[in-house]
Amino acid sequence: MPAFLSGPLAVAVRVESRKLVDTRSARWLLLAMILVGLTVIALAAGLAVERGGVLEVSLLLMGLALPGAIVAPLLAILSVTSDWQHKDVMTFYVLQPRRLAILGAKYIAVTLFATAVMAAICLLAVLVAVVLAGFSSLEVTYAGLGQGLWYAACAVLIGSISGAAVASALMSTPLAVVVVLIQSTVADLLIGLVPNIPTSYVQSSTFSNFLSEGGEVLPALSSAVIWILVPAGVGAWRHRRRDVN
Amino acid sequence: MKLEVEDISKSYGGIQVLSHVGFSCDAGTIMGYIGPNGSGKSTTLKVIAGLVRPDAGRVLIDGQPYRSLENPGRKVGFLLDPGAHHPGRSVRETVTLAAMMMRLPRSRVDAVLTEVGLASVPARKVGALSLGMRQRMSLAIALLGEPEVLILDEPANGLDVEGMTWLKRLLRSLGDKGTAVVVSSHLLNELETYVDRAVILDRGRVVSDQIVRRGAVSEWSFVSGPDLDEIEKVLVAQGFEHRRGDEPSAGPGFRVRRTANEIGEAMWSRRVRVNHLGPAAAVTLEARYGAVTSPQFRAGSIEHAIGDGEET
């Protein structure tokens, strides 16, 4: 086996990947992600068939970003906080005292896993579109397919990383879930209501919008620092320093 | 392999939990680590595991800090809290994850589950295990890497009589094979039957470090002198089984599994000076514990230990 695959980080990534699916709660979350994805595909295809119109695959894929944006952060939160919640850190931090290697492995495992699941759902969506094109009167267009895939990928990537960052800073499953839900639903709206501040610099969606659609660099960087880098830094510091009692 | 705990201090919110705690445990020694509830035993073991950062002092495993050990699970095994495992995972999965971290083959998981008596319940969820079975599973993880140092916090909690006998034999056989074992427990009478040394902690301080008499009184003698290194050289040269430690009436020296005459002749033949030589004192661990720990903690803790054996 090559050295980089048997090193401490690679070993930790394999362990963390396995932990994402080896408990009932993790499997339910995965199932939820798949079910929401399938529902989006079925709804989009059903509506298009009913109206006898055009099914744009790129729009379908953008729709799939929704389950990715919701479930990926939850998966990340569960991965980062579960060890503390169940005191599993007492086993894993003893076997790998370099705690940041384990935290880093969690980021990598969640991101890879969520991306792989989303890729599978996207592939299924394209297959559904191909079948509909062949067996119905529906017109299926593939224009902007790459853009749609990129949009879904960004949603999953940013959702995973920001979810893991917030969870690592808060080190509490319920608190992290509440913060991430507020962040992804009402936080940007509330920030938009505050007068006399450059809202795009502060809103969490600025960075994801920049990645998926382009835009100004500075507000995107500011958004990434506030919602990802700062929580990730705080989380790394807390994980490294916190006593396990 | 040797464990050295050097001058560890730790406080939480201004309360001193550990104060200049120090001891060492050599290869082949089983050391009991005992003290009243809240005396700092578990905190010490967590400091050794790198889970708690000491304010001062250090821990060395074979001369190296724990953090710098390559694949530490293969060198040091820990049982710290049998409840510290995800309740939704199966027994086999929990041990397999630890084996993956240690880069061990899956066959080792089966072997260690058989060794601790859990081979018949690999698919059972951890949350459905009794305390005794969780102890066995935690012990399986500690033994997985066949470590040379073993640190166990209250390993007998929840074990039935048969389980305790099994544990005792297991630890004794590991000690005889050269493993350094530190075991914390409230069950003093049990400990006394298999440990070589007992370090007693009281309110965060080491108040006693003594050799424990395992054999009959007549089998052991105690020898001390101005130059302990010279005495030990003679004991080693003669092949006499011995343990270093304190004797209440004589201070530091060696407990030797020989008669005083045999030891005396050996020392005389090498012209090594001794100032105390005689039968080893028959001080029970419980008596020693009673003599050195604080009364306000002792009464409650012993009663508690007899009641359910829990640790705070």
Side-chain angles (χ1 to χ4, degrees):
Chain A
M1 190 184 283
F4 73 95
L5 287 177
S6 60
L9 182 63
V11 167
V13 168
R14 279 203 292 278
V15 169
E16 293 302 328
S17 302
R18 190 172 167 127
K19 281 161 68 180
L20 287 171
V21 287
D22 72 354
T23 62
R24 201 174 291 165
S25 52
R27 283 195 287 266
W28 274 113
L29 204 55
L30 175 64
L31 189 66
M33 191 172 179
I34 293 168
L35 282 178
V36 176
L38 292 178
T39 306
V40 170
I41 294 171
L43 281 176
L47 278 173
V49 170
E50 195 178 306
R51 290 173 185 171
V54 178
L55 174 65
E56 287 187 44
V57 178
S58 60
L59 286 180
L60 179 59
L61 295 180
M62 284 182 192
L64 285 174
L66 178 70
I70 293 173
V71 182
L74 294 179
L75 199 65
I77 290 168
L78 203 65
S79 169
V80 169
T81 58
S82 169
D83 282 356
W84 286 96
Q85 192 185 339
H86 299 290
K87 294 170 84 179
D88 272 328
V89 281
M90 225 174 251
T91 301
F92 295 108
Y93 282 174
V94 162
L95 297 176
Q96 177 48 273
R98 294 176 187 94
R99 297 182 180 186
L100 293 187
I102 291 188
L103 185 60
K106 285 181 188 292
Y107 275 84
I108 296 169
V110 165
T111 306
L112 288 178
F113 186 78
T115 307
V117 173
M118 183 51 78
I121 295 173
C122 287
L123 184 65
L124 184 68
V126 173
L127 284 175
V128 168
V130 169
V131 171
L132 285 174
F135 294 95
S136 73
S137 57
L138 196 67
E139 188 186 336
V140 179
T141 65
Y142 297 96
L145 180 63
Q147 178 67 19
L149 282 172
W150 176 240
Y151 197 87
C154 284
V156 169
L157 283 172
I158 294 172
S160 307
I161 294 170
S162 67
V166 168
S168 69
L170 298 175
M171 296 175 88
S172 154
T173 310
L175 198 57
V177 169
V178 168
V179 168
V180 164
L181 284 179
I182 289 174
Q183 176 196 338
S184 58
T185 51
V186 295
D188 282 0
L189 284 174
L190 293 175
I191 290 166
L193 295 175
V194 179
N196 302 325
I197 62 160
T199 51
S200 63
Y201 280 77
V202 187
Q203 286 172 326
S204 65
S205 57
T206 309
F207 180 58
S208 53
N209 290 342
F210 171 78
L211 278 186
S212 52
E213 295 161 13
E216 287 185 70
V217 175
L218 280 181
L221 279 178
S222 167
S223 165
V225 166
I226 292 170
W227 294 99
I228 297 176
L229 291 182
V230 168
V234 170
W237 185 81
R238 289 195 73 193
H239 274 72
R240 199 163 172 269
R241 303 283 306 183
R242 187 169 174 178
D243 286 343
V244 181
N245 284 305
Chain B
M1 196 169 271
K2 184 179 186 179
L3 164 72
E4 292 165 278
V5 175
E6 295 179 357
D7 211 22
I8 296 289
S9 293
K10 175 74 182 175
S11 60
Y12 287 111
I15 297 169
Q16 192 81 12
V17 180
L18 297 174
S19 179
H20 305 286
V21 169
F23 57 82
S24 63
C25 187
D26 293 323
T29 300
I30 302 183
M31 192 193 98
Y33 193 52
I34 57 184
N37 291 333
S39 58
K41 302 186 297 295
S42 296
T43 304
T44 312
L45 303 188
K46 284 174 186 163
V47 168
I48 295 171
L51 296 173
V52 168
R53 239 169 223 272
D55 299 331
R58 62 177 187 168
V59 175
L60 298 174
I61 311 284
D62 217 20
Q64 282 184 283
Y66 185 77
R67 269 178 65 87
S68 65
L69 293 178
E70 173 66 23
N71 203 348
R74 303 284 293 271
K75 299 185 172 74
V76 190
F78 286 94
L79 187 170
L80 297 173
D81 182 351
H85 300 288
H86 196 299
R89 282 197 187 103
S90 70
V91 170
R92 190 169 210 289
E93 178 66 10
T94 304
V95 181
T96 299
L97 289 174
M100 286 174 73
M101 289 293 282
M102 292 182 224
R103 288 165 248 174
L104 291 168
R106 305 290 158 88
S107 56
R108 181 67 193 137
V109 174
D110 296 324
V112 82
L113 285 179
T114 304
E115 191 178 350
V116 301
L118 291 179
S120 59
V121 289
R124 193 174 293 180
K125 298 282 185 229
V126 171
L129 295 178
S130 67
L131 175 58
M133 289 171 115
R134 284 205 301 272
Q135 286 282 19
R136 286 172 184 262
M137 190 191 74
S138 301
L139 197 57
I141 293 172
L143 296 172
L144 201 55
E146 299 177 88
E148 292 171 65
V149 178
L150 201 54
I151 313 283
L152 310 173
D153 194 2
E154 302 281 351
N157 263 8
L159 292 183
D160 53 21
V161 175
E162 179 265 328
M164 280 171 65
T165 308
W166 164 79
L167 177 70
K168 212 157 62 177
R169 282 195 191 134
L170 173 76
L171 297 184
R172 196 56 259 169
S173 89
L174 288 170
D176 291 342
K177 284 178 196 160
T179 307
V181 182
V182 176
V183 53
S184 128
S185 177
H186 285 298
L187 305 172
L188 305 185
N189 292 336
E190 280 296 321
L191 269 186
E192 194 160 33
T193 61
Y194 66 92
V195 301
D196 303 303
R197 249 179 78 205
V199 171
I200 303 178
L201 198 67
D202 185 36
R203 287 184 285 185
R205 289 174 187 276
V206 173
V207 290
S208 172
D209 184 346
Q210 69 162 143
I211 293 167
V212 176
R213 173 181 56 84
R214 277 195 289 124
V217 181
S218 59
E219 288 182 339
W220 293 86
S221 303
F222 186 82
V223 60
S224 66
D227 190 340
L228 293 178
D229 291 339
E230 280 301 311
I231 292 177
E232 187 164 31
K233 276 182 196 165
V234 177
L235 297 174
V236 170
Q238 294 289 326
F240 291 175
E241 183 186 346
H242 63 282
R243 303 272 186 269
R244 192 184 270 257
D246 291 343
E247 192 82 331
S249 60
F254 297 93
R255 190 175 278 260
V256 189
R257 204 169 197 159
R258 292 284 164 154
T259 64
N261 276 348
E262 288 174 293
I263 299 164
E265 279 173 19
M267 295 299 157
W268 175 250
S269 67
R270 305 284 182 101
R271 299 290 186 270
V272 173
R273 201 175 145 199
V274 300
N275 53 21
H276 183 100
L277 177 60
V283 179
T284 65
L285 199 51
E286 194 165 343
R288 181 71 177 153
Y289 180 92
V292 297
T293 54
S294 314
Q296 64 269 38
F297 293 115
R298 194 171 63 236
S301 66
I302 289 178
E303 190 178 47
H304 186 62
I306 292 166
D308 55 19
E310 269 185 25
E311 160 74 304
T312 53

